[in-house]
Each structure stands twice: as C-alpha cells, then as structure tokens.
C-alpha cells in the first residue's frame, strides 16, 4: 500500500480533466474506483472536493489516497515513457503534411487512415510520431483535439504547454469554428438546418457504436447543402458545435442521408455503385478558425483529399467554392 500523496500538477498536465490525469498517472485506478474515491472525499484538488470532469491547472495539488500495489504507481511509472524513435521515412511523410507553422501552432493535413492516437492493433499514429514535428521548438508538440482515423483534414498541434492551454480552451469553450465537408447519399430535407440530437455509446453485437439517445450527451450540428447531384448525392458543409465521437456520422445517418462510404452507420445505403472509392469515408475536416490570445484570427484550410477528388469530378462539384456557407450564422 502506498501512503497519501500530494502531487502537484505539472505543466504537461495543465487543462487535463481529473479522470484523464488519473488515467495517465495511475492507470490501475478504474473509473468506478475513482468515482468512489471522489464521492468519499479521498481524492481532492487543492484541498477541496471535485468531480471527475474537473479541469486541472499547473500547480494545483491532487491528493491521492493510499492505493493498492496494482493501482499505485512509482515516480518512475508516473513519468511518461519516452516515445519510440520515428523512422526517417515516416518523419519525412509527416513533415510533408504540414499546412501551417508558427511559434505556437502546427497544423497538419491528416490523411484518412492515419490514427491520431494509439489503440488496439494501432502501431502507427500521429501521437507516436510528434517528435518529427518538433522542428526548432524546445518542447514536443501536443495534441489538443482529435480526428477519427478515417476522417481527413486539419489537425492542430500545440508547440508548448502555454499554447496547449489556450488552444484546448478554444475547443472546450467552442470558440474554435470547425467546418467539415462530406458527401452524403441522397439529399437532406430541408437543404439547410440544425441537428440537435443527443448521442451515446452503445454495444451492438461485438462492437461499440454511437447511437442517437435522448438521455445521451448533447450534440449539435449545423449543415447546408453546397451542391447536389439530383437526388442521388449531396455535398454538405457541416459545422459541429459539439465534438462528440462520430457525431457527424450519426447525425447525417439520422437525417436519412448517410455519409458516402460510412458502412458502420449507413450500411449498404452509404454506398454508390459505379463510383470509385465508394467504400471509403467521405468526411473531411476542411478548416479551423480561432482567435489567438492577442485577438488575431487564425484560419487553416486543408485541400480536398485524394480519395475524395474522383467523387467531386464524377458529380461535377466545384472543389473551391468562394463563399463560407456559414458566414451569416451567429453562434
């Protein structure tokens, strides 16, 4: 058994939720156990009771009660393991994806099929290759948001702990404006609207899916049809106000117009015969706009990915529309 520990929050852990801080430093403490420790006041932050979703700041003190040997971590175990060296070929490919870089931010054009973080049977991912994007910075870049493995497009990285704090706040407080492009099978009615449909994770068969659930987490998406090909397919611009897992895929499917290639949520209805790449997800994080702490605006845009170009050509869509489809939308 370990004794009571009073652990200061390091700069690298600033803005983490308390439950995620525990997952990082005490992976043996399961969520149910943590909830009990919080409920009984055994885990505290700066001497006060908090909830699992409490956001930490650098210098806060987390009280960790005595833990059994499996849940307790030694200082060596708490220290993050050094990442594996990045292969030169992988580093070159990742560096070639950079869309924008300054002293605070790096933006890359993540290709479809590349995971952002590791998981079961996922050996190669952005998080494991971030040292390749260090360039002249003293610190290793940090992830501040996520994209699904099969979604392409703009992925922002923070180049310092300070930048990670304000970038994470922009995503958390929904001041970052993210626009996605998608091709859906069919044309939604109406052609422009707001989807306000809560979602939750559910077990379906042997795999986990996200489903519409009125008791789930709030999920809101604005959409508009940019162009359509009769009633066969439509190019949508999507603006999520929330960032739930698979939110856009579920919302499009619930409209009756699943995203092209999304077999998980649209089944065979998401496929179109005679079209190249019809089984590859047509969802692209087109752009991100946010304000820096100094008030200046930053916008990064990713070009149409290679796997979606044949679809635009097939339907005759204009790949570079001039107008922002949500320019008049007040959020």
């Amino acid at each position: 058994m370990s004794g009571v520990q009073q652990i200061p929050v390091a700069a690298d852990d600033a803005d983490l939720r308390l439950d995620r801080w525990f997952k990082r430093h005490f992976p043996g403490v399961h969520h149910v156990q943590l909830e009990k420790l919080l409920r009984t006041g055994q885990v505290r932050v700066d001497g006060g009771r908090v909830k699992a979703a409490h956001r930490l700041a650098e210098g806060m003190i987390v009280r960790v009660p005595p833990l059994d040997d499996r849940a307790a971590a030694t200082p060596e175990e708490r220290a993050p393991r050094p990442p594996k060296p990045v292969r030169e070929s992988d580093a070159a490919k990742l560096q070639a994806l950079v869309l924008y870089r300054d002293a605070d931010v790096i933006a890359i054009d993540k290709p479809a099929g590349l995971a952002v973080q590791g998981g079961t049977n996922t050996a190669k991912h952005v998080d494991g290759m971030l040292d390749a994007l260090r360039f002249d910075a003293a610190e290793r870049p940090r992830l501040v948001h996520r994209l699904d493995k099969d979604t392409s497009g703009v992925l922002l990285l923070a180049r310092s702990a300070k930048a990670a704090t304000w970038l994470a706040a922009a995503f958390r407080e929904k001041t970052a404006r993210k626009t996605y492009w998608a091709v859906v099978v069919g044309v939604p009615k109406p052609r422009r609207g707001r989807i306000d449909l809560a979602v939750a994770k559910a077990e379906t068969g042997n795999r986990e899916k996200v489903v519409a659930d009125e008791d789930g987490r709030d999920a809101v998406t604005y959409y508009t049809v940019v162009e359509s090909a009769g009633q066969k397919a439509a190019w949508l611009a999507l603006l999520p106000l929330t960032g739930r897992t698979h939110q856009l895929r579920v919302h499009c499917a619930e409209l009756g117009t699943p995203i092209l290639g999304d077999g998980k949520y649209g089944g065979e209805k998401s496929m179109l015969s005679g079209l190249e790449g019809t089984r590859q997800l047509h969802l692209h994080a087109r752009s991100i706009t946010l304000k820096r702490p100094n008030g200046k605006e930053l916008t990064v845009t990713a070009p149409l990915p290679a796997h979606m170009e044949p679809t635009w050509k097939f339907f005759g869509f204009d790949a570079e529309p001039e107008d922002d489809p949500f320019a008049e939308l007040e959020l």
Side-chain angles (χ1 to χ4, degrees):
M1 298 288 286
S2 62
V4 172
Q5 300 178 70
Q6 302 284 349
I7 303 175
V9 175
D12 285 353
D13 293 329
D15 209 51
L16 276 181
R17 285 168 43 130
L18 180 60
D19 53 359
R20 291 173 183 165
W21 183 90
F22 262 88
K23 187 174 182 180
R24 177 179 291 184
H25 295 282
F26 297 92
V29 177
H30 300 295
H31 184 74
V32 173
Q33 183 183 359
L34 176 60
E35 289 289 355
K36 183 178 180 180
L37 293 172
L38 290 167
R39 191 168 56 250
T40 57
Q42 296 181 70
V43 169
R44 295 175 179 248
V45 175
D46 285 347
R49 293 186 181 228
V50 293
K51 294 185 178 180
H54 183 79
R55 292 279 174 180
L56 300 174
E58 182 180 0
M60 286 182 172
I61 303 297
V62 181
R63 180 192 188 276
V64 179
L67 301 171
D68 61 41
D69 292 339
R70 288 186 303 169
T74 65
E76 291 76 17
E77 291 170 330
R78 285 201 304 272
R81 294 180 180 178
K84 295 180 180 179
V86 184
R87 293 180 180 177
E88 288 188 11
S89 57
D90 289 336
K93 289 178 183 178
L94 195 62
Q95 291 167 4
L97 299 175
V98 173
L99 295 166
Y100 175 83
R101 185 179 94 196
D102 63 24
D104 299 315
V105 177
I106 292 176
I108 67 169
D109 184 8
K110 189 194 81 67
L114 176 62
V116 173
Q117 289 183 296
T120 306
N121 299 322
T122 304
K124 184 181 294 186
H125 47 84
V126 175
D127 192 32
M129 299 188 290
L130 288 177
D131 276 322
L133 298 175
R134 185 189 292 263
F135 298 110
D136 56 342
E139 301 176 49
R140 188 174 190 260
R142 295 164 168 80
L143 297 172
V144 289
H145 71 119
R146 311 288 185 269
L147 289 177
D148 290 344
K149 179 179 179 180
D150 295 324
T151 301
S152 60
V154 182
L155 180 70
L156 288 186
L157 306 168
R159 302 194 73 190
S160 66
K162 183 178 179 180
T165 298
W166 65 262
L167 282 168
F171 287 104
R172 183 177 69 251
E173 296 165 7
K174 303 179 179 62
T175 57
R177 191 180 179 103
K178 298 178 288 183
T179 301
Y180 290 74
W181 282 0
V183 172
V184 296
V185 179
V187 181
K189 295 180 180 180
R191 293 172 67 93
R192 184 182 184 94
R194 169 185 164 118
I195 309 166
D196 192 342
L197 187 65
V199 296
K201 292 183 179 180
E203 294 291 337
T204 56
N206 295 324
R207 62 178 181 171
E208 185 179 76
K209 288 182 66 175
V210 176
V211 298
D213 184 344
E214 61 181 13
D215 295 322
R217 303 181 71 188
D218 292 342
V220 179
T221 304
Y222 284 92
Y223 74 91
T224 187
V225 175
V226 181
E227 290 190 53
S228 59
Q231 295 300 309
K232 190 174 185 179
W235 165 14
L236 298 190
L238 301 160
L239 180 66
L241 295 193
T242 51
R244 311 304 181 204
T245 301
H246 293 179
Q247 172 180 322
L248 299 180
R249 298 168 66 177
V250 174
H251 279 180
C252 287
E254 288 293 324
L255 281 178
T257 54
I259 295 176
L260 180 64
D262 190 3
K264 184 169 185 175
Y265 291 100
E268 288 301 316
K269 188 179 177 181
S270 69
M271 312 299 170
L272 288 174
S273 60
L275 178 62
E276 180 183 343
T278 189
R279 292 188 176 274
Q280 191 166 359
L281 185 70
H282 279 56
L283 180 61
H284 178 61
R286 169 64 173 176
S287 67
I288 292 179
T289 298
L290 50 76
K291 284 189 177 180
R292 299 174 177 275
N294 63 9
K296 292 185 178 180
E297 193 172 84
L298 171 65
T299 297
V300 183
T301 301
L304 194 67
H307 76 279
M308 291 169 67
E309 287 179 354
T311 304
W312 257 247
K313 185 176 181 180
F314 181 85
F315 289 120
F317 294 154
D318 178 4
E320 295 297 334
E322 296 181 359
D323 299 328
D324 176 359
F326 301 110
E328 298 178 0
L329 184 64
E330 294 184 7
L331 304 178

